[in-house]
Amino acid sequence: MKPTARVLSKAGKFWKEYLSAEPSQTCIYSGELLTLANMSLDHFLPWSYVAHDQLWNIIPTPKKVNSAKSDWLPSFGLYFDAYAQLQFNGFQYHASRGNDTLLEDYHILFSQDLNFLQGQTFDWFRERLERQIVPQLQTAQNLGFSYPFEYKLPVPNV
C-alpha cells in the first residue's frame, strides 16, 4: 500500500547537519549555494514513483529548484555523478560521527554492514548506487514520468 504522506524528519536532520558542517555545498541541479534558509528536500526519483522517503533518494535543493523539478525524472547524464557524490559525502559525514540510526537506509539499500560501507571508496559507492537508480529510472520512464529534467537558470530581467 502506497503511503499517503511523506515523512521527511530523518532526511531533514541528516541534510541540515551535513549542510551546517559543509556551508559551501551547492545544489546539484542549479549550482546555487545551499543554505538552511533556502533548503528543500528533493526526491531524486520522484516520491510519486518510489513512494518512500529513504535517505539514498533524498537530496537538498533550493525550494525554487525543487518546485521546478516536481515529478520529473532527473537527467542521468547531467546529474547522477553529482547526486552520487553528495550522497557519498553525506553518508561519510554521518558515519564518521557514529550516526548509525540515520544511516539504516543505506544499510538496507546496499545490504552491507555500515562499517563495511564506511570503508568503501566513492567509486564503489557510486557504482552500487547506479545499479539501484538506473533500472528505476528506466521503469519510471516506461510508466510515463516526464524525462529528462534539466534545470534552466532564470533569465535576469534587464
Side-chain angles (χ1 to χ4, degrees):
M1 173 188 268
K2 182 177 178 178
T4 56
R6 299 171 193 193
V7 181
L8 297 171
S9 54
K10 184 164 86 170
K13 177 177 173 53
F14 182 93
W15 289 113
K16 284 176 184 176
E17 286 181 18
Y18 176 75
L19 291 179
S20 292
E22 297 293 334
S24 62
Q25 182 65 54
T26 58
C27 173
I28 70 164
Y29 302 119
S30 68
E32 184 178 338
L33 186 66
L34 289 166
T35 67
L36 297 179
N38 77 1
M39 184 188 96
S40 180
L41 296 172
D42 173 59
H43 288 75
F44 190 72
L45 297 171
W47 185 86
S48 59
Y49 171 67
V50 295
H52 68 68
D53 297 313
Q54 293 180 11
L55 284 173
W56 60 265
N57 188 45
I58 298 175
I59 55 171
T61 63
K63 293 171 186 164
K64 66 184 176 195
V65 174
N66 194 6
S67 292
K69 182 174 172 279
S70 186
D71 281 343
W72 282 72
L73 297 170
S75 168
F76 183 85
L78 287 177
Y79 304 121
F80 182 77
D81 285 338
Y83 156 77
Q85 187 68 62
L86 180 57
Q87 283 289 330
F88 180 77
N89 293 348
F91 174 86
Q92 291 295 343
Y93 171 80
H94 286 287
S96 70
R97 281 151 185 76
N99 293 338
D100 291 358
T101 56
L102 283 178
L103 301 176
E104 281 301 309
D105 293 347
Y106 297 95
H107 163 68
I108 294 166
L109 176 71
F110 295 126
S111 299
Q112 297 289 340
D113 175 82
L114 292 174
N115 288 328
F116 173 82
L117 292 175
Q118 187 178 5
Q120 299 310 304
T121 65
F122 169 68
D123 289 337
W124 183 95
F125 188 95
R126 183 203 175 285
E127 192 268 326
R128 295 316 181 282
L129 197 55
E130 183 176 354
R131 285 188 202 172
Q132 299 293 327
I133 297 292
V134 168
Q136 292 187 59
L137 270 174
Q138 292 168 340
T139 301
Q141 268 186 275
N142 293 343
L143 291 172
F145 280 82
S146 298
Y147 179 84
F149 171 77
E150 297 178 19
Y151 187 73
K152 307 282 191 251
L153 293 173
V155 177
N157 294 335
V158 179

